[in-house]
């Protein structure tokens, strides 16, 4: 059978991710700090881009003066976009300037009014540099290493002690296999156990413990005078102690409930995480990408672009391009045109990013007005599709816009994704509540509860139902776990 070769046409649609489109998507999901880094990197790589603090009269931040040969539809569209002016979003809010005021000169001029007062520069010249006055807190490893150096040990034993200290967690626990550490140091397991016991008696007491029970037992041995009941409770009834089942401990040990409670008070004073006082994590400061202010009865949205360079096309390279066209310099012309298209696309992508963020925030404020006025308990259920329909964009775009971006509101700083949450049905069939609002209600209920008689999950369900919120007990338990709140049995306090 002979094969027959035919030609046919097939019409289909597919999305092609061009480099320009990939860049626009990437810029859309960056926060302000990340965008600033990208812009600075682009300015280093693309000589066409330059930063300006003010736009000269008659000149815009784009390549509108470029010859018609290169000011193709991309540049024309950019000019149309930059003519966009919205009552609440002026062009000045879409590009960020840089404060060029010379504060140092201002301070010196102010100080020069008094001849008897030296200038700030004169004073600072005689002071140590800022780096020389910075202090560093002592780490747990340094603190233990200093104590280890005071103990008389052999070289192998000291090396083993350093290995143990180096393998401690931030909480001060030793979670590594001691036999492997001993083998590395060239010692037997029995010797390693002795070195570990020496470290466990260092300050803070209990450091180097392998579990909570061992940590508390070591601290119990340092009580003066010794308290055998405390040691018995820790060694034999730690699980009952966790569940606050004091009656079971009393019955098993044959000791009165009053003495059990007295011993428990002592145990509660122990430190379950010995390394906690040495663990200092760097504070992570959040810089909002958007500010929402209330002026009279209206909310105003301002994009935070502080520190962002104001971009424009370099006039110098415009002249080079014009000269290259006249001289028919193909290589120079192609290079400048390529960089120019890249610069124009970057400026347009940033401009569109700012407009999209503004539109998304505006839609959120419009839908969540009660939240911005009255707080978390008035948050309404909302999904990405709601905002996508409001502004005529795809849900994936809304997801990228709200990723890792924070908004400063009259009631606090929140991530944009915080406003999107599921709904909880009302008991009478009225408007649903947002899951975050229900979590806040649960948190406040537990804050107001009687510590000696904490609210059970079922009781919280009944209280929420009394407030017209229909929710299952397992959902309450899930929300409580998400809030980091213990169960009622573990929250109970009888001492």
């Amino acid at each position: 059978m002979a094969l027959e070769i035919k030609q046919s046409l097939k019409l289909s649609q597919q999305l092609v991710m061009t480099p320009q489109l990939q860049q626009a998507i990437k810029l859309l999901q960056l926060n302000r700090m990340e965008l600033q880094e990208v812009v600075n990197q682009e300015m280093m790589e693309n000589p066409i881009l330059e930063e300006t603090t003010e736009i000269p009269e008659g000149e815009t931040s784009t390549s509108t003066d470029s010859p018609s040969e290169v000011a193709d539809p991309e540049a024309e569209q950019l000019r149309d976009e930059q003519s966009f002016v919205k009552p609440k979003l002026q062009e000045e809010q879409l590009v960020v300037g840089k404060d060029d005021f010379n504060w140092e000169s201002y301070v010196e001029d102010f100080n020069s009014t008094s001849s008897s007062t030296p200038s700030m520069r004169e004073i600072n010249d005689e002071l140590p540099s800022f780096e020389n006055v910075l202090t560093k807190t002592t780490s747990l490893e340094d603190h233990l290493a200093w104590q280890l150096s005071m103990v008389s040990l052999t070289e192998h034993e000291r090396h083993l002690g350093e290995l143990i200290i180096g393998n401690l967690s931030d909480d001060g626990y030793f979670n590594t296999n001691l036999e492997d550490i001993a083998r590395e140091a060239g010692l037997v397991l029995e010797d390693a156990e002795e070195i570990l016991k020496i470290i466990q008696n260092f300050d803070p007491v209990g450091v180097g413990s392998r579990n909570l029970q061992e940590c508390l037992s070591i601290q119990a041995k340092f009580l003066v005078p010794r308290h055998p009941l405390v040691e018995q409770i820790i060694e034999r009834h730690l699980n009952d102690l966790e569940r606050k089942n004091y009656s079971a401990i009393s019955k098993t040990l044959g000791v009165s409930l009053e003495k059990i409670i007295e011993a428990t008070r002592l145990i509660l004073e122990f430190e379950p995480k010995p390394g906690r006082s040495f663990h200092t994590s760097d504070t992570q400061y959040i810089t909002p990408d958007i500010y929402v202010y209330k002026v009279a009865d209206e909310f105003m949205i301002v994009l935070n672009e502080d520190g962002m360079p104001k971009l424009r096309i370099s006039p110098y390279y415009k002249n080079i391009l014009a000269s290259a066209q006249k001289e028919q310099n193909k290589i120079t012309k192609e290079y400048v045109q390529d960089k120019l298209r890249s610069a124009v696309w970057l400026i347009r992508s940033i401009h569109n990013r700012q407009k999209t963020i503004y539109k998304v925030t505006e839609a959120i404020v419009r839908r969540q007005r009660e939240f911005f006025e009255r707080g978390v308990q008035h948050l309404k259920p909302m999904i990405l599709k709601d905002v996508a329909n409001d502004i005529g964009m795809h849900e994936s775009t809304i997801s990228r816009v709200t990723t890792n971006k924070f908004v400063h509101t009259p009631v606090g700083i929140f991530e944009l994704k915080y406003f999107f949450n599921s709904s909880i049905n009302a008991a009478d069939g009225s408007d649903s509540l947002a899951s975050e609002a229900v979590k806040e209600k649960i948190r406040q209920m537990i804050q107001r509860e009687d510590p000696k008689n904490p609210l059970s999950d079922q009781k919280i369900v009944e209280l929420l139902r009394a407030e017209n919120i229909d929710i299952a007990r397992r959902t309450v338990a899930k929300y409580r776990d998400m809030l980091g709140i213990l169960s009622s049995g573990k929250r109970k306090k009888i001492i």
Side-chain angles (χ1 to χ4, degrees), residues 58-239:
E59 182 179 350
T60 64
S61 60
T62 64
S63 57
T64 54
D65 294 337
S66 301
S68 58
E69 288 81 359
V70 290
D72 50 23
E74 285 187 355
E76 293 293 335
Q77 183 176 351
L78 180 59
R79 287 201 297 271
D80 294 339
E81 290 175 351
Q82 289 197 323
S83 63
F84 172 82
V85 177
K86 195 165 186 174
K88 296 182 181 179
L89 186 62
Q90 302 299 329
E91 177 125 4
E92 289 76 13
Q93 292 176 311
L94 294 176
V95 283
V96 173
K98 184 178 180 182
D99 187 4
D100 57 356
F101 190 80
N102 193 333
W103 286 103
E104 186 175 14
S105 298
Y106 173 78
V107 172
E108 291 190 356
D109 292 341
F110 178 81
N111 288 332
S112 64
T113 57
S114 174
S115 58
S116 61
T117 306
S119 67
M120 292 297 294
R121 177 173 295 179
E122 292 173 353
I123 295 176
N124 291 334
D125 285 343
E126 299 179 1
L127 293 176
S129 63
F130 179 69
E131 289 80 5
N132 289 337
V133 298
L134 291 176
T135 60
K136 179 182 177 181
T137 58
T138 302
S139 65
L140 176 64
E141 184 175 353
D142 293 339
H143 184 60
L144 295 175
W146 170 74
Q147 296 177 75
L148 183 67
S149 65
M150 303 297 173
V151 182
S152 178
L153 299 172
T154 66
E155 183 179 350
H156 290 288
E157 291 172 342
R158 190 174 305 279
H159 179 53
L160 175 63
E162 292 172 351
L163 290 175
I164 292 175
I165 293 174
N167 283 276
L168 297 180
S169 67
D170 291 337
D171 293 332
Y173 282 89
F174 179 69
N175 300 318
T176 310
N177 190 311
L178 184 59
E179 187 175 358
D180 294 338
I181 298 291
R183 188 181 304 111
E184 183 176 348
L187 295 174
V188 297
L189 183 59
E190 290 75 12
D191 293 337
E193 290 282 357
E194 292 299 323
I195 301 300
L196 180 60
K197 289 180 180 179
I198 292 175
I199 295 176
Q200 289 174 346
N201 291 325
F202 284 174
D203 176 65
V205 178
V207 68
S209 300
R210 285 161 286 195
N211 51 59
L212 177 61
Q213 185 178 44
E214 186 177 29
C215 178
L216 298 179
S217 296
I218 293 171
Q219 296 180 56
K221 294 175 182 178
F222 276 80
L223 286 177
V224 179
R226 292 283 290 270
H227 204 300
L229 181 58
V230 170
E231 297 177 15
Q232 286 182 342
I233 293 175
I234 293 173
E235 292 174 3
R236 300 167 53 187
H237 297 282
L238 195 58
N239 291 333

Side-chain angles (χ1 to χ4, degrees), residues 2-52:
L3 295 177
E4 185 178 0
I5 301 176
K6 292 183 179 180
Q7 287 185 337
S8 61
L9 296 176
K10 182 179 180 181
L11 185 63
S12 63
Q13 290 182 337
Q14 65 179 29
L15 178 63
V16 179
M17 293 289 288
T18 63
Q20 291 85 357
L21 182 57
Q22 292 177 7
Q23 182 191 51
I25 293 175
K26 177 184 176 182
L27 293 179
L28 196 61
Q29 60 191 14
L30 297 179
N31 59 26
R32 189 187 67 87
M33 301 296 291
E34 295 169 339
L35 178 63
Q36 185 176 348
E37 293 179 3
V38 170
V39 171
N40 290 335
Q41 182 66 28
E42 288 291 333
M43 290 178 63
M44 293 178 60
E45 298 177 355
N46 191 343
I48 299 289
L49 285 171
E50 71 175 17
E51 179 182 357
T52 178

Side-chain angles (χ1 to χ4, degrees), residues 240-270:
D240 289 329
L241 184 64
E242 181 184 3
R243 294 192 298 266
K244 296 182 172 57
N245 192 357
Y246 305 119
S247 58
I249 301 175
S250 173
K251 183 178 180 180
T252 303
L253 296 179
V255 180
S256 65
L257 184 61
E258 290 75 14
K259 290 186 177 181
I260 296 296
I261 293 176
E262 180 183 352
T264 302
R265 286 197 180 100
L266 293 175
I267 297 174
L268 291 177
E269 295 178 0
F270 294 169

